[in-house]
Amino acid sequence: MAPTGEDLADLQAQVAAIENRYGVRVGLAVSGIAPVGAQLDATWTAGSATSGPALGTIDLPIALAVLNLNPVPSNITYLLAKSISGSSLSGDEALYSFLGNGEEAATRTNAVLRAYGDQNTTVATSTARQDVPAFSQTDWPVAPQAQMAGQLWCSSDAWYAVSRMHYFDDDHAYGFGSVVGSYLRTSDGVDDNGNPVVRQMAIIPNANGDRIGVGLVVNGARDKLDDVKAAADAVAGRVYFGAVGFDGGHC
């Protein structure tokens, strides 16, 4: 069932207005809480963008792939704190290295995505850019990202990683980080043209007190990262009040 209602219709228009106000492109997806691999509501989307480079948000499926290893690395607590809570690219690379070489690591991470119902996203194993790891350039649409976020809330196996999403520093507390009680992974970077990109993957409460999974990408003009972050703030505020009508979160 697709969530409907005046609040969601208004939210769609509000996202379009935010794009115009800040000169950005927004891709937003919201999904209800659901068991792993399942979906109780259709994913709702808004904005003129549908996808973008995953940047550091890809470390969540990477982390789950590492937690599936036997044995799990002895320093896993430190690695998850550095990678997820600390938004550290070197932490992401350290996590990824435990999964094997590039192809093997991508295969293990892809298996996690498939388990959460994402049948199409494929982790990148190469990039023309020299300044970032290939996996961070994975094209990850916001819809399956939101679906995974909603399902993470129901996964006891993932909770060790998900719990680290509840802790983030002030530099990453914009957008959905401003929602009290949020679980969040924020990452920013630039696209191939040097334009700023922000990605957020979050599990937040809405104004009704129901948990929802969110995927967000905001693309801006060169040297306008502040506008991109301001747009993310504006979207998060609208989502908190407008993203209602989803399943109440039954795992």
Side-chain angles (χ1 to χ4, degrees):
M1 296 291 293
T4 58
E6 291 183 8
D7 290 313
L8 287 174
D10 288 345
L11 181 55
Q12 202 112 33
Q14 289 166 353
V15 170
I18 289 167
E19 289 186 312
N20 290 331
R21 176 180 179 185
Y22 292 99
V24 299
R25 295 183 67 230
V26 172
L28 170 67
V30 182
S31 185
I33 300 301
V36 174
Q39 199 173 356
L40 304 180
D41 290 311
T43 299
W44 179 89
T45 59
S48 61
T50 59
S51 190
L55 305 179
T57 62
I58 198 67
D59 65 12
L60 287 162
I62 290 172
L64 300 193
V66 173
L67 288 170
N68 287 337
L69 296 176
N70 187 14
V72 172
S74 60
N75 61 341
I76 187 63
T77 300
Y78 169 77
L79 288 170
L80 293 179
K82 184 176 182 181
S83 179
I84 298 173
S85 299
S87 300
S88 167
L89 184 59
S90 63
D92 294 346
E93 291 180 290
L95 268 179
Y96 202 60
S97 69
F98 281 100
L99 298 177
N101 62 34
E103 292 291 343
E104 184 179 8
T107 297
R108 291 178 183 271
T109 308
N110 288 336
V112 171
L113 293 170
R114 303 296 176 267
Y116 281 80
D118 186 347
Q119 302 302 320
N120 297 311
T121 302
T122 301
V123 175
T125 56
S126 63
T127 177
R129 296 177 57 177
Q130 301 299 312
D131 57 331
V132 293
F135 62 77
S136 72
Q137 300 306 291
T138 299
D139 184 54
W140 197 2
V142 292
Q145 185 178 53
Q147 291 161 22
M148 182 176 183
Q151 293 170 31
L152 283 174
W153 192 250
C154 291
S155 175
S156 57
D157 291 340
W159 191 246
Y160 200 46
V162 173
S163 64
R164 302 314 312 167
M165 296 172 69
H166 200 39
Y167 305 95
F168 42 86
D169 58 32
D170 291 343
D171 289 342
H172 297 90
Y174 59 88
F176 289 104
S178 63
V179 178
V180 175
S182 64
Y183 286 71
L184 175 73
R185 179 64 171 97
T186 296
S187 185
D188 61 75
V190 296
D191 62 19
D192 292 342
N193 298 314
N195 299 317
V197 181
V198 160
R199 288 301 300 252
Q200 289 195 321
M201 181 177 181
I203 309 162
I204 67 166
N206 62 17
N208 288 349
D210 297 324
R211 287 277 170 182
I212 51 176
V214 179
L216 176 71
V217 59
V218 186
N219 303 301
R222 184 183 291 270
D223 300 324
K224 296 294 185 179
L225 179 59
D226 287 346
D227 287 344
V228 172
K229 291 181 177 181
D233 285 337
V235 169
R238 303 300 188 275
V239 168
Y240 175 77
F241 289 104
V244 296
F246 293 83
D247 184 86
H250 304 292
C251 292

